[in-house]
Amino acid sequence: MSKQHITTTLNGEPTEFLCDTRQTLLDTLRNELRLTGTKEGCATGDCGACTVLLDGKATCSCLVLGVEAEGKDIQTIEGVAHEGELHPLQTAFLNNAALQCGVCTPGIIVAAKALLETHPNPTEKEVRYWLSGNLCRCTGYDKIIHAVMDAASAMRGEQP
Amino acid sequence: MPSASTYSRPSSLDEALTFIQSTSGKALKILAGGTDLLIQMRAGLYPDTALLDIKNIPETMSITIEPNQVRIGAAAAASEICANIQLRQLYPGLVEGIEYIGSTQIQSRATFGGNLCNASPAADGVPALIAAGGTCLIVGPEGRRINPISTICTGPGETALGQGEFIAEFILPIPKPGSADAYLRFTPRNEMDIAVVGVAANLSVDADGTCTRAQVVIGAIAPTALVASDVAACLVDQPLTPKIIDKAGEIASQLGSPLTDKRGTSEYRHQIAGVLTKRAIKIAAERAKKAH
Amino acid sequence: MSAKTTYKWIGSSPVRPDGVDKVTGRANFGADHSEPGMIYGKVLRSPIAHGRIQSINLTPALQVPGVLAAICGDDFPDADAVQGMSSGESPADMRDIARNVMARDKVLYHGHPIAAVAAMSPEIADEALKHIQVTYEALPPVLNLDQAMAKDAPLLHEDQITRGLPKKPTQASNIAAVLNLKRGDLETGFSQADIIIEETYTTPTAHQGYIEPHAVIARCNEDGRAAIWCCTQGPFVVRSLSAQVLGWDMGRIKVTPSEIGGGFGGKTTIYLEPLAVKLAEKSGRPVKMVMSREDVFRATGPTSASRTHVKLGMNKAGKITAADVKLECEAGAFKGSPMQTACMTALTCYDLENFNITGYDVVVNKPKAAAYRAPGAPLTAFAVESAIDQAAKRLGLDPIDIRLNNAAKEGTVAPYGAKFPPIGLVETLQAAKAHPHYCAPLKPNQGRGIASGFWFNAGMQSSAAINLNENGTATVITASPDIGGSRASMALMTAETLGIPYADVNAIVADTEAAGYCDVTGGSRTTFATGRAVIMAAEKVIVSLRERAAALWELKPEQVEWRDGQAHPDSEASAGADIKPLSLAELALSAAKTGGPISAKASLTAQGAGGGFGTQICDVEVDPETGKTEIIRFTVIQDAGKAIHRAYVEGQLQGGAVQGIGWALNEEYIYDEKGCMQNASFLDYRMPVALDLPMIDTVIVEVPNPNHPFGVRGVGETPIVPALAAVANAIDSAVDARMTDLPINPPKLLKQLSTA
Amino acid sequence: MARVVFTGDLIRQFGTSELTVPARSIKALIQALSQQCPEAADTLMEMAISIDGEIHQQAFLEKLSEEAEVCFIPPIGAG
């Protein structure tokens, strides 16, 4: 297996790793870099549990090769909280009981983070459209959508 | 993942060609968005295959609106294409087509080049590309050539591209005043689904609403996207009244040889082709009237 | 505990103790654990749906560089030696579980495990699987009820004699069991009927659809002990089932449950665990095995496809005079479909004099059925609740009134013979009728449907321990995996009982060596049964605290009362003496001086779980040109006895209803004629996505269950039961199309509309 | 005297769906029934039992009142 040396920015820090040219970014994050917060639900880009931000864009890391991340900026769930402070989305998910088993939560929070960075005041429909690539089987999505809307208003500085 | 082999991400078309020459004789696959290719590789296809990643070449990544044409890089991501306001004004239907592909996450990667060359009969990006009457710049060991987009797909998973050839960009005409397109697809779920049927309508109307030009292309009812010329014929020189549009839908529902598979029966695809053709023509017509 | 009605903590919705780990990605699920020196295991699965294994040659695989172990059926004790019933909550024959985990003489479904290898990398393991040489004698696949029940049908099990028939048959059959429940006289009942509804309803094979694939890591130590880390609903069940399949003494196995990425009943059994242990034993290395999504669909417990024939007699006043229900249920490769519970719940919402319920458990060449949220109940509820709606329509009666007219109440004798204690069906129907949703206006092509449902809720065995820390905070320890926020409800019940703040209680889930025996988190039992063990443990802690206070005050323990988290001398003892109450924290601080650390344990077989009833209102809009159904409004009304963590009870109601909606509209296993599943991916096995649904409104009715200190009833499973019929009834109301075969996908509905 | 109601295989094994048995506890009742029909012994222990209308899983030591009504029902699986 020929391995390539890849340099990236991972959760704000310069990070280098070796990965086989056929290894997905998901497997690289989980097996080489020990960041197991990004989950595999299907490995075919249909469930969104492996969502990371690649140059700021919500992306299924199971459909990206590790070598394609050369020179890119990667953000995973482990980078969402910042200096000991939870991100408003994380707080909103906890306060709204917007997770039950929690396996889809990392992927949804990362995808929602990308949404709120580009749509600070999304409608319910826009949130549902944006998150349709993130399957959840436990919650029926209701409290997840409420949590994202709450986080959006908190980030706009509105009192809950 | 099957056994590894080389991977290259050239920064120019020429650099890409030198890599292609270096792998001639060996299996080579072009990697654009990868949202189809990586799934196929994971299922064991293309083992020991060199990968040419074309997402670092200006021509394949850029979207440029020129006075008399529009150029869209074959590896430009759907999310970039959908964010381009000017492009959406010129070709709303074209943008709707690629916007349908997969989820937000897939939109960050999916490309017109990948969608077309994967050659799925149900590809959402293809009907509007063909209906726009566009051409594409093909680059390969024997040099460059320009072909109509409609000639690229030759069957499910098959294209007319030769060994070592790839599409660098798509070139579309600037639509004339009074012209517009629209794309609709049907899927049981609202998202994350493969089209049971997809219909692109691209037409022009004169000042009093008579159709002067029409092109209707239907996906998922034939081995490749079907250019429904007799649907177009039924519209040209006609005022786009409900009666005419219904007739167009009626014709559309007889076309192609749709399969029965896990996504729908052939009889159902015929019916839906008719319904979506009517709806797409109606939307394109309304947009065209406003585009005077 | 006097049944107070105002509580300090019970009924609130605080943040769960494990929440931060789950929103930051730190929480470890099945595939996240690693062990030093770990290698990777993969399973070779049958490419055919029905056949006899003639030979397996593992040697070529062992010769692939990097392969350290390879196993097949011969590496396990003879399945016939594995006797008895599993202790899992879906009682299954251990011999069947052993033969499902690894095929022995026969392969019985496409995807049935035949062999497994362990290698230095997943890629090498995949490669090695291609080198295993297997020869089969292919047999004709049996793929549906008609094929299986046909007279000359190929037999899956030559030794399977139908159980439950009046006369014991001599011929083997694909019908594994028959169950009959009857009361009164059908003919008399039907003679009193003004109308008779007779219809056949079918539901497809469907999967629980948990987002986390099955995953396990196993390690065998040199001293013969084994450790298993896996995502499961029941670590003790994994220990007991794995030990029996391996032929090991279960004391040698320690199971540590990881966080579980959804189960819904599908992770109450075993698939990979014994294979990983055997590969670890043979290779001397820890072995990690993770299923692909395709494996999960092809080879883990879907729920049964079913066919239910209903004949319903009703008089003009809307009283059911007779009901004849016949259910045929696909068990998959081995007996054990949820036929029995489907029969027992079929008519349980209604007080009937004359009924006959017959159920058939039928094996077919499909994966062995496992429990899926109120296993069996949705199958017959879809049929009966649809038939009742058809009757209401024909008689021009309101569908809620017709249900109220027949509703089971306290004292009603259920079809399976039990007399109901206090239950809340009537209250849910009245709440539905009074709800603004029920009378909201509808536009063209829109329709409204309602349906009711029931689930028993299980009790089973649970244990809990509570340790007081020196600073007066408490740790509550159970082995009930936390799928829906149960750590929070354990902490709430502990805090309420001890009288200390919720934030002072941390609830953890422990492994099989650190916590007392606990059955699965399933059967909607955790908050009820494990909750009762937690409360019993807390009450024992209070006894200790009163003893410590009594000792400090030189009183007898009986003279000390416990209120609001403090020890108080009773009125007689405190008369004339200036004794200040002692808080839990003060007593914990002085524990060393008064006898040592304060902790308590409690275990029980919890009886009297008390059934859970629910009623749902569904609004749909149908596109008549494409046959597509859009859910535009949905309200779930359910009796929870007492909601402990309000938001997570709502979450169960919402999640269960949405699984029912998916089942009604688009979810199904699609097989080809050779028995190979065609849609084994999340793309083509269409579960609802966020854009497919509106907000799911919930109403929690609270008719207390006398058998729980706070009145708790299970809530996890009932919400899926009514949803299938609620959607079907709404579609009929919208476009006058009675769809009796699920899923009601667009092609089927458009065909019905075009022919109507 | 406990009035016993059978379902499923037990009806065949005991030749009837109802029986009265002198027993003051479930343990005694199961012993009496197992003597009467040894083939049913295992099944009796696996089944859920409703005593005067209340379902008990794993019932064994429960006492039976004079006119107790006992019903053997299939064990309740759960998801």
Side-chain angles (χ1 to χ4, degrees):
Chain A
M1 301 275 184
S2 61
K3 290 211 187 252
Q4 285 204 356
H5 177 263
I6 304 296
T7 50
T8 64
T9 309
L10 178 57
N11 294 330
E13 288 156 7
T15 304
E16 300 177 16
F17 51 83
L18 282 178
C19 79
D20 172 75
T21 54
R22 283 301 180 282
Q23 196 171 1
T24 64
L25 177 58
L26 174 62
D27 288 344
T28 307
L29 289 169
R30 289 178 58 84
N31 303 334
E32 314 301 330
L33 298 167
R34 287 275 174 274
L35 293 172
T36 56
T38 307
K39 306 299 179 190
E40 172 172 322
C42 67
T44 52
D46 297 315
C47 76
C50 68
T51 301
V52 298
L53 298 191
L54 200 56
D55 285 348
K57 289 205 158 359
T59 309
C60 284
S61 56
C62 71
L63 291 185
V64 176
L65 294 175
V67 290
E68 291 182 80
E70 171 62 41
K72 301 273 181 198
D73 176 86
I74 306 171
Q75 272 186 61
T76 68
I77 183 69
E78 287 90 347
V80 171
H82 202 48
E83 284 150 5
E85 281 289 312
L86 289 180
H87 186 280
L89 272 168
Q90 293 169 314
T91 310
F93 268 66
L94 292 176
N95 293 337
N96 280 279
L99 59 142
Q100 287 178 30
C101 85
V103 78
C104 70
T105 304
I108 289 182
I109 285 182
V110 168
K113 181 168 185 287
L115 168 69
L116 298 187
E117 279 160 3
T118 50
H119 302 69
N121 191 5
T123 63
E124 177 195 331
K125 209 130 191 76
E126 279 167 346
V127 176
R128 287 183 180 278
Y129 176 81
W130 187 275
L131 293 180
S132 281
N134 292 77
L135 291 181
C136 171
R137 192 61 161 172
C138 295
T139 66
Y141 302 105
D142 181 297
K143 290 182 188 299
I144 288 172
I145 307 299
H146 279 301
V148 173
M149 309 279 284
D150 281 3
S153 71
M155 290 165 77
R156 294 194 302 271
E158 294 153 20
Q159 298 318 330
Chain B
M1 278 297 165
S3 61
S5 55
T6 50
Y7 161 88
S8 159
R9 186 169 72 174
S11 51
S12 73
L13 288 179
D14 295 336
E15 205 185 302
L17 285 170
T18 31
F19 175 77
I20 291 170
Q21 252 102 27
S22 74
T23 62
S24 67
K26 238 177 93 192
L28 170 76
K29 272 307 262 185
I30 306 301
L31 173 61
T35 50
D36 286 314
L37 182 57
L38 258 70
I39 297 173
Q40 290 158 358
M41 284 163 49
R42 189 177 171 283
L45 295 175
Y46 317 122
D48 318 323
T49 308
L51 282 182
L52 172 61
D53 183 343
I54 58 170
K55 295 196 290 299
N56 198 26
I57 302 168
E59 289 88 341
T60 64
M61 291 301 287
S62 53
I63 303 166
T64 42
I65 317 278
E66 293 165 357
N68 48 24
Q69 64 184 12
V70 172
R71 291 164 56 224
I72 303 173
S79 46
E80 298 304 314
I81 291 164
C82 298
N84 190 307
I85 297 154
Q86 246 189 320
L87 183 61
R88 193 186 282 271
Q89 270 156 6
L90 289 172
Y91 280 108
L94 182 76
V95 173
E96 279 160 352
I98 200 162
E99 200 166 28
Y100 265 124
I101 299 177
S103 58
T104 306
Q105 291 87 342
I106 302 298
Q107 287 282 298
S108 304
R109 304 293 288 178
T111 64
F112 271 127
N115 196 239
L116 179 69
C117 297
N118 181 52
S120 153
D124 284 312
V126 173
L129 264 179
I130 294 175
T135 58
C136 50
L137 169 64
I138 301 169
V139 172
E142 283 83 33
R144 305 173 184 213
R145 56 191 173 95
I146 302 236
N147 273 37
I149 295 170
S150 53
T151 64
I152 298 299
C153 293
T154 53
E158 291 152 24
T159 72
L161 299 179
Q163 174 61 24
E165 284 194 318
F166 65 93
I167 293 176
E169 61 182 5
F170 297 95
I171 304 119
L172 306 176
I174 298 288
K176 295 191 187 51
S179 302
D181 68 345
Y183 177 76
L184 287 174
R185 76 159 186 195
F186 180 78
T187 51
R189 282 195 304 190
N190 290 338
E191 262 310 322
M192 297 296 296
D193 236 328
I194 300 291
V196 170
V197 176
V199 177
N202 186 322
L203 45 83
S204 311
V205 291
D206 61 19
D208 57 22
T210 305
C211 177
T212 56
R213 184 191 57 82
Q215 182 68 285
V216 174
V217 182
I218 305 175
I221 59 166
T224 61
L226 185 116
V227 177
S229 34
D230 29 17
V231 172
C234 137
L235 299 174
V236 173
D237 301 333
Q238 299 292 339
L240 295 177
T241 60
K243 205 163 71 61
I244 294 293
I245 292 177
D246 283 352
K247 189 159 175 304
E250 196 29 52
I251 296 171
S253 65
Q254 316 294 332
L255 294 177
S257 51
L259 302 173
T260 294
D261 64 10
K262 57 195 174 193
R263 297 193 184 104
T265 61
S266 119
E267 177 209 354
Y268 184 69
R269 284 194 162 95
H270 276 305
Q271 276 174 300
I272 296 303
V275 170
L276 293 188
T277 296
K278 282 189 299 182
R279 292 179 180 179
I281 291 170
K282 207 152 139 305
I283 297 170
E286 273 145 25
R287 287 177 176 165
K289 285 191 186 97
K290 289 202 204 72
H292 262 297
Chain C
M1 281 304 289
S2 63
K4 282 200 308 195
T5 50
T6 55
Y7 295 106
K8 190 159 188 323
W9 292 103
I10 299 298
S12 64
S13 297
V15 171
R16 58 199 287 177
D18 57 320
V20 173
D21 283 351
K22 292 201 163 162
V23 295
T24 57
R26 277 195 299 270
N28 273 331
F29 289 83
D32 300 343
H33 183 74
S34 291
E35 280 291 299
M38 186 170 73
I39 60 176
Y40 299 85
K42 293 272 181 174
V43 176
L44 179 68
R45 295 180 182 278
S46 167
I48 59 173
H50 191 195
R52 216 178 295 284
I53 299 175
Q54 290 167 325
S55 70
I56 299 181
N57 182 5
L58 300 174
T59 319
L62 282 165
Q63 283 151 358
V64 173
V67 173
L68 298 173
I71 57 171
C72 65
D74 302 341
D75 291 282
F76 292 88
D78 188 316
D80 297 343
V82 184
Q83 288 310 329
M85 293 301 289
S86 74
S87 63
E89 45 56 56
S90 275
D93 183 324
M94 275 314 303
R95 179 168 169 263
D96 292 343
I97 289 179
R99 292 184 296 165
N100 190 49
V101 160
M102 184 68 94
R104 306 308 164 94
D105 53 352
K106 286 192 78 172
V107 290
L108 291 157
Y109 56 92
H110 179 265
H112 194 170
I114 306 166
V117 296
M120 298 304 287
S121 77
E123 288 73 24
I124 297 172
D126 276 327
E127 193 54 34
L129 291 182
K130 298 176 187 150
H131 292 76
I132 297 175
Q133 294 158 356
V134 186
T135 56
Y136 305 96
E137 176 212 345
L139 297 170
V142 176
L143 292 176
N144 58 46
L145 293 166
D146 291 331
Q147 286 177 11
M149 298 167 88
K151 216 168 24 17
D152 48 6
L155 288 172
L156 270 66
H157 305 284
E158 280 73 15
D159 57 358
Q160 180 168 277
I161 302 294
T162 308
R163 291 180 57 189
L165 289 174
K167 212 166 62 52
K168 184 161 189 170
T170 52
Q171 287 282 347
S173 157
N174 286 327
I175 301 172
V178 178
L179 175 69
N180 182 261
L181 302 171
K182 56 177 177 287
R183 179 187 299 157
D185 178 66
L186 275 187
E187 290 335 306
T188 326
F190 282 122
S191 64
Q192 297 156 356
D194 294 309
I195 62 159
I196 301 227
I197 301 288
E198 192 153 5
E199 196 79 69
T200 299
Y201 305 85
T202 67
T203 67
T205 306
H207 198 272
Q208 295 82 350
Y210 31 81
I211 303 302
E212 177 199 39
H214 297 257
V216 60
I217 290 110
R219 187 189 67 215
C220 288
N221 296 350
E222 293 69 13
D223 62 4
R225 297 185 62 76
I228 296 178
W229 294 263
C230 62
C231 51
T232 174
Q233 292 178 236
F236 281 97
V237 167
V238 169
R239 184 180 72 169
S240 127
L241 301 189
S242 302
Q244 292 176 76
V245 169
L246 288 161
W248 283 24
D249 155 28
M250 76 169 72
R252 291 170 54 188
I253 302 176
K254 165 180 169 182
V255 180
T256 305
S258 68
E259 291 310 308
I260 169 172
F264 316 105
K267 291 178 178 163
T268 58
T269 182
I270 54 170
Y271 295 106
L272 296 174
E273 291 82 357
L275 311 188
V277 170
K278 188 53 76 173
L279 285 170
E281 185 187 40
K282 289 189 89 129
S283 65
R285 303 278 287 270
V287 174
K288 173 184 264 191
M289 301 181 78
V290 182
M291 279 194 197
S292 67
R293 176 54 50 187
E294 205 179 324
D295 290 346
V296 172
F297 274 120
R298 289 195 199 289
T300 72
T303 193
S304 307
S306 72
R307 180 166 55 199
T308 306
H309 186 79
V310 174
K311 183 177 178 188
L312 194 72
M314 195 177 279
N315 63 27
K316 279 201 294 297
K319 192 87 178 101
I320 302 172
T321 60
D324 188 6
V325 176
K326 177 182 155 202
L327 161 73
E328 294 152 317
C329 218
E330 287 182 7
F334 298 92
K335 61 182 179 292
S337 73
M339 173 273 285
Q340 291 174 335
T341 42
C343 290
M344 289 158 66
T345 57
L347 297 169
T348 306
C349 286
Y350 305 108
D351 188 353
L352 306 177
E353 278 150 46
N354 307 300
F355 64 79
N356 179 53
I357 305 170
T358 314
Y360 296 85
D361 180 26
V362 183
V363 294
V364 289
N365 290 117
K366 289 182 182 177
K368 180 179 184 335
Y372 177 22
R373 205 162 193 159
L379 312 181
T380 44
F382 168 60
V384 171
E385 290 296 304
S386 297
I388 287 177
D389 227 60
Q390 287 172 259
K393 196 173 172 182
R394 194 176 302 171
L395 291 170
L397 295 172
D398 174 274
I400 291 187
D401 291 340
I402 217 170
R403 288 175 168 84
L404 278 168
N405 197 352
N406 297 281
K409 310 181 186 60
E410 184 175 3
T412 301
V413 178
Y416 49 87
K419 207 178 290 148
F420 276 120
I423 51 172
L425 174 60
V426 168
E427 287 77 358
T428 65
L429 286 164
Q430 286 161 345
K433 194 162 189 191
H435 197 284
H437 179 176
Y438 194 59
C439 46
L442 289 169
K443 300 199 193 77
N445 294 321
Q446 291 186 349
R448 177 162 303 140
I450 75 125
S452 295
F454 160 80
W455 183 248
F456 308 91
N457 299 335
M460 298 154 73
Q461 299 178 83
S462 285
S463 306
I466 295 179
N467 303 328
L468 289 195
N469 304 315
E470 310 91 291
N471 65 350
T473 59
T475 307
V476 53
I477 302 150
T478 72
S480 283
D482 178 356
I483 311 178
S486 52
R487 287 187 180 95
S489 50
M490 296 307 141
L492 281 167
M493 288 183 271
T494 304
E496 189 75 43
T497 309
L498 293 181
I500 58 177
Y502 167 77
D504 284 0
V505 182
N506 185 29
I508 66 162
V509 176
D511 62 59
T512 53
E513 286 180 351
Y517 182 87
C518 214
D519 276 318
V520 290
T521 292
S524 312
R525 73 178 209 91
T526 305
T527 305
F528 170 73
T530 304
R532 276 181 57 187
V534 162
I535 294 161
M536 283 163 65
E539 283 163 352
K540 287 183 185 173
V541 164
I542 290 174
V543 167
S544 303
L545 290 166
R546 285 172 52 227
E547 284 160 0
R548 301 305 176 91
L552 289 171
W553 291 333
E554 292 168 26
L555 295 172
K556 288 206 251 352
E558 310 78 69
Q559 296 175 288
V560 177
E561 291 164 354
W562 188 265
R563 281 197 316 276
D564 309 323
Q566 291 187 315
H568 300 262
D570 65 21
S571 48
E572 189 207 324
S574 60
D578 174 20
I579 302 176
K580 229 161 46 41
L582 280 169
S583 73
L584 181 138
E586 287 163 326
L587 288 165
L589 209 58
S590 59
K593 294 267 192 274
T594 61
I598 300 171
S599 69
K601 283 167 60 64
S603 295
L604 81 163
T605 291
Q607 304 293 1
F613 285 87
T615 297
Q616 296 176 356
I617 313 171
C618 169
D619 285 3
V620 297
E621 178 163 335
V622 174
D623 177 344
E625 286 194 315
T626 64
K628 184 167 181 179
T629 301
E630 204 72 47
I631 305 288
I632 49 175
R633 186 171 181 176
F634 206 95
T635 302
V636 182
I637 301 155
Q638 193 171 312
D639 172 16
K642 179 64 196 167
I644 298 297
H645 188 294
R646 176 159 289 279
Y648 277 115
V649 171
E650 290 165 359
Q652 291 298 312
L653 272 48
Q654 293 164 331
V658 166
Q659 280 183 313
I661 289 168
W663 199 343
L665 289 182
N666 280 309
E667 290 182 31
E668 62 180 319
Y669 270 51
I670 300 169
Y671 279 99
D672 66 13
E673 71 296 340
K674 295 203 290 302
C676 172
M677 184 183 183
Q678 296 294 289
N679 58 330
S681 78
F682 272 150
L683 178 66
D684 290 322
Y685 182 82
R686 293 195 185 85
M687 303 188 332
V689 299
L691 196 58
D692 292 338
L693 296 160
M695 292 297 182
I696 308 290
D697 303 326
T698 59
V699 174
I700 299 175
V701 167
E702 291 183 323
V703 174
N705 172 8
N707 297 305
H708 186 280
F710 299 125
V712 166
R713 255 177 237 282
V715 290
E717 291 169 291
T718 298
I720 197 171
V721 178
L724 287 68
V727 171
N729 293 342
I731 289 171
D732 182 48
S733 146
V735 287
D736 192 19
R738 172 50 59 182
M739 302 297 287
T740 57
D741 300 311
L742 295 186
I744 307 170
N745 55 38
K748 271 194 220 168
L749 186 51
L750 187 65
K751 192 160 193 229
Q752 176 87 359
L753 295 177
S754 335
T755 51
Chain D
M1 291 300 279
R3 195 173 75 80
V4 181
V5 176
F6 294 129
T7 54
D9 246 6
L10 294 175
I11 298 173
R12 175 177 56 73
Q13 289 165 331
F14 286 91
T16 168
S17 64
E18 279 191 36
L19 206 58
T20 48
V21 178
R24 303 312 301 273
S25 73
I26 292 291
K27 179 165 168 294
L29 174 65
I30 288 180
Q31 266 156 4
L33 291 173
S34 301
Q35 267 145 21
Q36 189 180 334
C37 171
E39 185 206 356
D42 292 347
T43 319
L44 289 169
M45 285 299 282
E46 286 155 21
M47 298 192 81
I49 298 171
S50 98
I51 303 167
D52 298 330
E54 214 182 296
I55 298 180
H56 294 259
Q57 304 234 23
Q58 317 281 7
F60 196 57
L61 297 178
E62 284 76 2
K63 290 281 171 276
L64 294 177
S65 65
E66 191 38 40
E67 349 63 36
E69 204 209 77
V70 176
C71 183
F72 285 87
I73 48 181
I76 296 159

